Amino acid sequence: MTSPLIVSLQTLLEQTQTEPSQKNLTGNIRAIEDLFSSENRKTLDRFFQGAFVFLGFHPGVDTGVTSYIRSGSLSSDAGSNLLVLFTLDSRIPSPVALRNQSFEKWMIVDTAVHPSYTLIRSMFKDPVTLNFPGIIFLEDLLQNQNPVYVHILAPSDENAVRQQMRQLFALADKAYQLSVESQKNFLDLLALSLQKERIDYERGSDISAREWLINAFRFIRARSGDIVSIVNLFK
Amino acid sequence: MKPNSMLQTNSPAGQIRDLVELYFQDLQAFGLLASHIRPGQESFEGYIVNHIANINSLIQGAEEHYNLTPDNKLRPILYNYRSWPENTPIAGYYAADSPIKYSHLLATYVGNWQNEFSHGPSYSRLLRAALWMWHNSGLKHSLNYLFDLQKYGYFTFSESIEEVIALLLRSQAPGKNDQEIIAAYFGDKMPASNSDWLEWEIKELDQPPSSFDLTKVQPVLESLILETVEELDRIRVLSTTEEWLLDQAAAMLRCRHLLRLCNRFFEKQTVVLKSILSQFDEIGADGGIYRWYQHRPKFAPLSSPMTMQIAIPLGSFRQKLGEEGEARLYQERLLYPSVLREQVEQSDGRKLPLEWSIVPPRLLWPFAMSINHGYLDPAWRTTLFTSEQIAEVPEVKIFFESIGITSQKDRIQILNEVYLQKIPDRWKTGGGPGVKLPQEDENHLIDILQKSHRSLCLRELIEEGLHKFYATSDLGEKERILKRLHGLYPWNSAVHLELSIFYDESENLKLAWDHILTCILLDVNNIQGWRSLSVILNRLGNVDDSKLAWAAYTVLNERMKK
């Protein structure tokens, strides 16, 4: 049994992109823009083989989602082919044990302008139709793509959230594996399987994931927050 | 670690025990700093004989006549073979009703260090204590206890801590429980009484290293890693100079050990583990700053490591990250506490408040006798004189005449480089080469500067400082002189004595108490210091301790008359 840790995405990216022999006075530290530069493309590809999920929720309102994350099963539910990201109310400069992290600071934010909602809306031409909270699927962090968004149905109910997340993660995992075998687009395959299961979803506009992520970092950091993932110290 | 204001909450303010606790902080500091830079035999003996020996007599006197007992429950304890109370645990932490006294712990410290000097790293003592802790509180607590022993300065060979931890982890044999593993070290029998623990022989384990259970090792190392991350956060918000210096020194060692242990045990590491270990690597490497002290000339002020460590990495971080540079540097490394962030940001890491820019006076002895290779000057000045001032000293003038350098401009240029250690202007402006001394002459000049600087200091401190202070009766003038001397000569016992008396007479007992403690720590043979200590203790209403201090004063006085 290993402890889940909350880690900033920036920390994870920094760690994958430098060979030990190239360490200098600043170690692996890089500005976000540098991490996503074209020189780093190869190392970014090495960073994580799989698809990405961004979870947009309001900790004070969507209490079921918050409890679900706190319960610690998120990273094992997502499996090894999906990396789940979400926004947090404070900077996470070093990995923090999940149990020690509170979500309190953003509890008081007005629902209409919660940062994570704004980030998701920015992927859509007509965001008014979106229902929150929800999760967005990306095939990687660099390329142009049309993300897939699914609304979380019963955000105050932890068990309902868990069930729905597990179902969605399972579908995404299958779609990913199929996309690798068949060389077809992951998001298209995911959309198809959601249709088959009669799960409502929205398709985002053609966005550059790289630009979106850089802007997301800037936006969140300006509000003293961070984009984080939950990882285990040991596999 | 006790905070700077040593006043106890449940007993009358100001006690002899405060002084004893400060001495134990001193011992802690010596052992901990010596783990970074091993002192030579001479420095070690100098520290013991000139600084600790007299306190030993004070402690024994206090224990005999005044029932002095320790108090600090954070302090780890460790047995020794010379004097240890019967039926007492050999390891663990100090507990309220324990028969363990300061004199026992002092014997452990000195015994351990002497043993290390004669025989090298003391694996067996550490192992014995660790096994006892494991048996009583579990493996995780045992390993934390080992780190605490290191933090509290009980051992100076840091590798011995690491090796014992590695040994304990490797002895996690599959299919055996903790008690079986521990007993195996004693030939498959578990020691029962405290004397068993003290006396039974520890046997070599014959199981080959490869048969240990990694699934048992992983959770233990994992919690050590996470606790270290939390510890770093705790240290960053410390606000006293002594606590910062010591906890930073301990953390650098702890990070280094954990990094190496993880690399030994885990070939495959997750991205997040690599990220944490990479941070530990940087923090551990920052400990290299202590090696710089041997290159500094003797007249250089005893600056804190912080003054040399921040500016350069801050520049690099700012270059890479712009405005975010300072925040990142603060969080990634352990170079300065949060109370200094604004100062660091504004001064580019080059200027700190005086208190933080020097080695704390209460840690002068342990720092000087380890990191500074045994060289200690009670008349150290916090800043150098100007080149113009030092150029006027007769010996310096004679030296320059003897090597034919007559131009004042040339002399100042040379002094700027050799005395003030400034980067030569010509490196920055690419101008003419100026005058450069051959190495032999430069070495000679440094020796002369050492003596000249010191003579200027003594004149300023004694003639222009203390004598004037005694000569005037104007309180405002007295205060002005003292404050000036304190800012320039904070490591001087006489200055603190006068400050203590001054505050005592102005009825500021708290400051009087703080300064008299520092006075005695700086010079345990300061006879008048002991006298003042007694007076102030009496004023604070602590009659018994006042008598004890008076006894110490009398003994020292008699000794001096002989």
Side-chain angles (χ1 to χ4, degrees):
Chain A
M1 222 275 299
T2 175
S3 267
L5 300 175
I6 297 191
V7 179
S8 167
L9 178 60
Q10 180 167 11
T11 305
L12 292 174
L13 291 171
E14 279 172 355
Q15 201 48 50
T16 45
Q17 47 84 53
T18 301
E19 299 302 326
S21 55
Q22 285 171 36
K23 267 216 196 142
N24 50 30
L25 266 177
T26 55
N28 290 327
I29 311 302
R30 293 285 186 274
I32 278 293
E33 294 78 1
D34 287 343
L35 286 172
F36 285 97
S37 69
S38 45
E39 290 101 53
N40 269 324
R41 196 182 195 98
K42 275 207 195 110
T43 45
L44 274 177
D45 287 341
R46 259 202 332 255
F47 160 59
F48 179 73
Q49 299 299 324
F52 296 85
V53 177
F54 180 77
L55 191 51
F57 69 104
H58 186 316
V61 171
D62 308 319
T63 51
V65 180
T66 313
S67 312
Y68 167 61
I69 293 179
R70 274 226 187 86
S71 73
S73 65
L74 179 58
S75 90
S76 56
D77 290 348
S80 51
N81 291 321
L82 296 174
L83 186 70
V84 181
L85 303 168
F86 55 97
T87 53
L88 206 59
D89 56 354
S90 49
R91 289 291 296 269
I92 306 290
S94 330
V96 167
L98 175 61
R99 59 188 151 78
N100 291 345
Q101 182 59 39
S102 80
F103 292 71
E104 274 163 20
K105 243 207 247 147
W106 282 356
M107 299 277 204
I108 53 171
V109 167
D110 176 347
T111 325
V113 294
H114 193 273
S116 65
Y117 295 179
T118 311
L119 289 179
I120 292 180
R121 286 202 185 98
S122 68
M123 294 188 196
F124 290 83
K125 275 205 193 74
D126 183 14
V128 175
T129 57
L130 292 178
N131 282 317
F132 287 101
I135 64 177
I136 204 144
F137 291 88
L138 294 166
E139 64 184 336
D140 68 26
L141 297 182
L142 291 172
Q143 297 179 57
N144 283 30
Q145 54 199 286
N146 299 73
V148 171
Y149 176 78
V150 180
H151 170 50
I152 295 176
L153 298 166
S156 318
D157 181 343
E158 183 187 333
N159 285 323
V161 170
R162 180 175 293 109
Q163 235 181 333
Q164 187 187 9
M165 289 292 110
R166 284 181 175 167
Q167 183 193 31
L168 291 172
F169 290 151
L171 290 173
D173 188 69
K174 275 215 190 92
Y176 175 77
Q177 289 186 42
L178 192 54
S179 75
V180 169
E181 285 163 17
S182 65
Q183 296 290 305
K184 291 206 180 117
N185 179 273
F186 158 70
L187 292 170
D188 292 339
L189 289 171
L190 176 61
L192 259 171
S193 70
L194 289 172
Q195 268 173 14
K196 270 198 203 135
E197 299 292 322
R198 298 184 197 281
I199 297 175
D200 282 333
Y201 68 93
E202 303 268 348
R203 206 68 202 263
S205 10
D206 194 30
I207 59 152
S208 152
R210 177 182 177 274
E211 276 172 33
W212 178 82
L213 200 48
I214 292 179
N215 286 330
F217 262 110
R218 289 201 188 122
F219 181 74
I220 294 297
R221 293 261 166 94
R223 285 149 186 76
S224 307
D226 214 337
I227 299 180
V228 302
S229 182
I230 295 188
V231 288
N232 291 321
L233 195 57
F234 294 98
K235 280 217 166 60
Chain B
M1 282 288 310
K2 285 206 159 177
N4 228 354
S5 88
M6 301 296 281
L7 308 179
Q8 306 280 335
T9 47
N10 54 353
S11 22
Q15 305 177 72
I16 284 285
R17 187 204 271 136
D18 296 347
L19 181 64
V20 177
E21 279 288 329
L22 281 177
Y23 260 97
F24 272 75
Q25 179 184 271
D26 201 292
L27 291 169
Q28 168 186 356
F30 182 74
L32 177 53
L33 295 173
S35 306
H36 282 279
I37 303 283
R38 257 194 90 62
Q41 184 80 24
E42 238 184 80
S43 305
F44 169 60
E45 280 169 13
Y47 176 74
I48 300 292
V49 170
N50 297 327
H51 192 56
I52 297 298
N54 283 345
I55 280 302
N56 193 17
S57 347
L58 172 78
I59 291 176
Q60 295 193 334
E63 283 172 355
E64 231 181 275
H65 301 292
Y66 293 93
N67 197 29
L68 173 73
T69 52
D71 193 21
N72 186 352
K73 296 191 184 55
L74 294 176
R75 171 173 292 122
I77 58 165
L78 183 66
Y79 71 98
N80 67 75
Y81 284 111
R82 229 184 43 149
S83 78
W84 195 248
E86 263 186 59
N87 294 322
T88 308
I90 65 169
Y93 293 83
Y94 183 76
D97 46 5
S98 165
I100 293 169
K101 304 217 167 121
Y102 283 115
S103 51
H104 297 127
L105 297 175
L106 181 54
T108 301
Y109 270 109
V110 178
N112 274 358
W113 295 340
Q114 274 170 345
N115 196 48
E116 283 177 318
F117 266 102
S118 320
H119 306 296
S122 333
Y123 298 108
S124 66
R125 285 182 195 203
L126 273 169
L127 184 55
R128 188 177 293 271
L131 288 172
W132 184 95
M133 261 315 258
W134 186 355
H135 172 64
N136 282 281
S137 314
L139 183 57
K140 194 167 82 83
H141 284 288
S142 176
L143 300 188
N144 267 321
Y145 167 73
L146 289 178
F147 280 126
D148 277 344
L149 285 180
Q150 178 172 72
K151 186 202 267 200
Y152 277 78
Y154 281 96
F155 294 92
T156 63
F157 279 107
S158 59
E159 58 264 38
S160 51
I161 305 278
E162 191 178 308
E163 286 305 321
V164 171
I165 295 181
L167 177 64
L168 293 175
L169 291 173
R170 277 201 313 269
S171 59
Q172 302 277 330
K176 288 212 168 153
N177 67 34
D178 281 1
Q179 302 307 315
E180 286 168 335
I181 298 174
I182 299 169
Y185 280 93
F186 295 99
D188 291 323
K189 280 195 315 182
M190 186 65 85
S193 68
N194 279 310
S195 55
D196 287 348
W197 277 102
L198 211 47
E199 288 153 25
W200 284 14
E201 200 192 309
I202 293 183
K203 308 221 185 314
E204 293 278 335
L205 289 190
D206 20 62
Q207 126 208 6
S210 58
S211 67
F212 67 88
D213 189 351
L214 190 59
T215 62
K216 283 196 198 166
V217 171
Q218 186 178 291
V220 176
L221 278 178
E222 180 172 323
S223 55
L224 286 181
I225 292 168
L226 294 179
E227 279 163 20
T228 304
V229 173
E230 282 170 23
E231 170 76 356
L232 295 175
D233 281 337
R234 183 194 69 83
I235 296 173
R236 283 193 191 92
V237 295
L238 289 175
S239 55
T240 59
T241 55
E242 291 94 357
E243 283 178 317
W244 167 263
L245 192 112
L246 295 178
D247 285 8
Q248 180 200 36
M252 287 170 177
L253 291 171
R254 185 176 168 133
C255 287
R256 207 187 288 168
H257 292 321
L258 273 178
L259 167 71
R260 294 215 281 245
L261 286 165
C262 287
N263 284 339
R264 275 160 97 156
F265 283 97
F266 305 119
E267 234 182 81
K268 287 212 176 93
Q269 297 173 353
T270 61
V271 170
V272 65
L273 178 59
K274 275 198 209 149
S275 155
I276 294 178
L277 292 182
S278 162
Q279 185 190 25
F280 286 179
D281 195 2
E282 299 289 333
I283 292 177
D286 285 337
I289 194 66
Y290 298 119
R291 276 179 250 129
W292 275 93
Y293 284 83
Q294 65 185 313
H295 301 297
R296 307 171 85 240
K298 290 182 171 167
F299 45 77
L302 197 63
S303 327
S304 66
M306 219 186 293
T307 56
M308 298 184 277
Q309 268 182 316
I310 303 177
I312 295 179
L314 180 60
S316 299
F317 270 66
R318 278 176 168 166
Q319 203 180 40
K320 276 230 168 97
L321 300 166
E323 269 178 35
E324 231 190 83
E326 186 276 330
R328 231 18 232 283
L329 179 69
Y330 166 72
Q331 191 59 45
E332 278 296 314
R333 309 275 267 274
L334 197 65
L335 295 177
Y336 54 98
S338 70
V339 293
L340 293 182
R341 287 189 67 182
E342 211 181 302
Q343 268 273 4
V344 166
E345 170 83 55
Q346 285 170 5
S347 71
D348 298 337
R350 288 179 207 285
K351 199 147 168 39
L352 298 169
L354 178 63
E355 193 196 11
W356 289 92
S357 67
I358 57 173
V359 169
R362 287 178 176 180
L363 298 179
L364 174 71
W365 273 85
F367 195 97
M369 301 314 270
S370 58
I371 308 286
N372 210 46
H373 302 271
Y375 182 71
L376 188 158
D377 186 357
W380 256 320
R381 197 175 191 265
T382 51
T383 54
L384 296 168
F385 295 98
T386 63
S387 294
E388 286 76 9
Q389 282 172 305
I390 204 90
E392 288 310 302
V393 177
E395 286 75 15
V396 176
K397 279 186 175 165
I398 292 170
F399 167 78
F400 278 124
E401 274 158 25
S402 75
I403 57 170
I405 296 183
T406 50
S407 138
Q408 180 72 349
K409 181 161 167 288
D410 287 344
R411 291 181 181 188
I412 298 297
Q413 177 226 306
I414 291 174
L415 288 172
N416 281 347
E417 288 168 32
V418 178
Y419 178 63
L420 296 181
Q421 309 257 293
K422 280 192 179 155
I423 296 172
D425 282 335
R426 63 180 174 279
W427 290 15
K428 292 187 243 175
T429 61
V435 186
K436 179 88 180 98
L437 291 184
Q439 192 61 49
E440 204 187 300
D441 287 340
E442 190 174 306
N443 291 345
H444 192 195
L445 176 59
I446 289 177
D447 280 339
I448 290 175
L449 285 172
Q450 169 56 20
K451 298 194 186 81
S452 308
H453 172 91
R454 199 149 198 280
S455 70
L456 283 182
C457 287
L458 289 173
R459 193 173 76 198
E460 183 180 47
L461 173 61
I462 297 176
E463 286 168 33
E464 297 164 16
L466 292 170
H467 286 176
K468 271 209 184 129
F469 171 80
Y470 297 136
T472 183
S473 50
D474 175 54
L475 280 183
E477 176 71 4
K478 274 176 130 69
E479 190 171 1
R480 195 192 62 79
I481 295 176
L482 275 188
K483 286 209 162 129
R484 181 162 190 273
L485 288 180
H486 186 212
L488 289 172
Y489 300 97
W491 298 288
N492 190 277
S493 178
V495 170
H496 285 276
L497 175 61
E498 295 306 335
L499 278 163
S500 171
I501 294 173
F502 179 82
Y503 283 122
D504 180 30
E505 287 168 0
S506 335
E507 297 186 8
N508 187 335
L509 282 183
K510 171 155 186 347
L511 282 181
W513 180 244
D514 279 347
H515 281 290
I516 200 63
L517 289 176
T518 308
C519 161
I520 294 184
L521 265 174
L522 285 170
D523 178 9
V524 74
N525 295 312
N526 189 328
I527 300 175
Q528 292 309 314
W530 286 97
R531 189 176 188 282
S532 288
L533 179 69
S534 178
V535 166
I536 296 173
L537 278 167
N538 200 26
R539 274 220 233 294
L540 287 169
N542 200 332
V543 176
D544 281 344
D545 284 7
S546 171
K547 285 189 191 155
L548 181 59
W550 191 265
Y553 159 65
T554 317
V555 167
L556 275 176
N557 213 8
E558 288 303 311
R559 210 182 285 171
M560 200 196 67
K561 285 183 186 158
K562 288 192 183 139

